[in-house]
Each structure stands twice: as C-alpha cells, then as structure tokens.
C-alpha cells in the first residue's frame, strides 16, 4: 500500500566555466506499507557521476542510499555512501555504512558504523 510518492529523475548539468559535466540520478521510491506485517518501508537512492572535459582522472561517482523500516514504535534505518575516484594508476573507493535502531526510549542510537577505503590498480584501464 503506497504511503508517499517517490521522485525519479536524470539531470545533466554542464558547467561551462569549469568544463565539468555531472549526471544526477534520483531514484526515490517513496514509502509503502507491507500490509501483512504492518511495516512501513522507505527507500531512496541518489547518484552523481561527473568528469571534467578531456581529463580522465577527474572521473567521479558517488551514491547515497537510505532505507528505513518502521512498525509501531520500532524503527531501523541504514544509510550508505560510496565514492569512486581515480588517479593515473589506481581506482579509489571510499564507502561508509551507518545503521540505526530507533525507539522511543533510546533516541537515535547508531548500532553499527563501517568505513572502507580501497585502492585498486587500474591495470591498463
């Protein structure tokens, strides 16, 4: 059962002053209820991909997601952020994940947090 509308778009921004082009993708699926369990679900993802004209090493990708599940006075939420950049020799991935379990007594406690940083050789790519 739908609870809120989502938003879907693909936007391209071309900054003529800096020669940077950016693609922004919004995939917000809004909110809906799983009737059998009484659980409300919210899902949203945003992505950005950019590069500066004629500079291969300027390529950058970023995603941010939020997933939220609620039922009665219980709520969990997971947020992620991943960024991909590169140098002449490597791809660089940085990622973050935060998970929360929220209830009326405890406020907003983060129950898990993870951060990753990986460097992957381009291997002629």
């Amino acid at each position: 059962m739908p609870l809120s509308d989502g938003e879907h778009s693909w936007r391209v921004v071309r900054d003529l002053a800096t020669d940077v082009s950016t693609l922004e993708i919004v995939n917000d699926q809004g909110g809906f209820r799983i009737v059998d369990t009484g659980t409300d679900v919210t899902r949203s993802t945003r992505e950005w991909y950019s590069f500066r004209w004629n500079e291969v090493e300027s390529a950058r990708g970023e995603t941010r997601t939020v997933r939220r599940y609620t039922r009665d006075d219980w709520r969990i939420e997971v947020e992620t952020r991943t960024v991909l950049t590169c140098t002449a020799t490597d791809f660089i991935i940085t990622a973050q994940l935060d998970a929360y379990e929220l209830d009326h007594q405890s406020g907003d406690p983060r129950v898990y947090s993870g951060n990753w940083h990986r460097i992957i050789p381009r291997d002629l790519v």
Side-chain angles (χ1 to χ4, degrees), residues 5-61:
D5 293 335
E7 175 188 358
H8 301 278
S9 64
W10 287 57
R11 294 183 188 101
V12 175
V13 175
R14 170 74 192 218
D15 186 328
L16 297 175
T18 63
D19 270 340
V20 173
S21 296
T22 303
L23 169 63
E24 177 188 43
I25 302 170
V26 176
N27 184 12
D28 181 341
Q29 298 174 346
F32 62 92
R33 174 168 290 148
I34 302 172
V35 176
D36 291 345
T37 63
T39 303
D40 296 344
V41 179
T42 305
R43 298 185 296 191
S44 179
T45 300
R46 293 182 180 268
E47 305 171 48
W48 298 268
Y49 303 94
S50 63
F51 73 99
R52 183 182 313 271
W53 178 252
N54 214 20
E55 291 183 26
V56 175
E57 295 173 24
S58 71
R60 183 179 194 281

Side-chain angles (χ1 to χ4, degrees), residues 2-125:
L3 296 175
S4 62
D5 293 335
E7 175 188 358
H8 301 278
S9 64
W10 287 57
R11 294 183 188 101
V12 175
V13 175
R14 170 74 192 218
D15 186 328
L16 297 175
T18 63
D19 270 340
V20 173
S21 296
T22 303
L23 169 63
E24 177 188 43
I25 302 170
V26 176
N27 184 12
D28 181 341
Q29 298 174 346
F32 62 92
R33 174 168 290 148
I34 302 172
V35 176
D36 291 345
T37 63
T39 303
D40 296 344
V41 179
T42 305
R43 298 185 296 191
S44 179
T45 300
R46 293 182 180 268
E47 305 171 48
W48 298 268
Y49 303 94
S50 63
F51 73 99
R52 183 182 313 271
W53 178 252
N54 214 20
E55 291 183 26
V56 175
E57 295 173 24
S58 71
R60 183 179 194 281
E62 178 177 352
T63 64
R64 293 183 185 180
T65 64
V66 176
R67 301 289 186 262
R68 185 175 300 122
Y69 303 89
T70 61
R71 182 174 53 235
D72 300 323
D73 62 354
W74 168 83
R75 183 173 107 181
I76 61 170
E77 183 172 303
V78 177
E79 299 177 5
T80 65
R81 178 176 182 254
T82 305
V83 177
L84 171 65
T85 58
C86 65
T87 67
T89 58
D90 300 307
F91 293 108
I92 302 165
I93 301 171
T94 303
Q96 301 166 306
L97 182 144
D98 289 300
Y100 303 87
E101 184 173 6
L102 313 158
D103 60 41
H104 293 299
Q105 288 83 26
S106 60
D108 290 350
R110 183 168 55 184
V111 296
Y112 179 81
S113 181
N115 294 286
W116 298 267
H117 184 79
R118 301 287 187 267
I119 297 174
I120 302 167
R122 288 182 69 155
D123 197 19
L124 303 177
V125 177

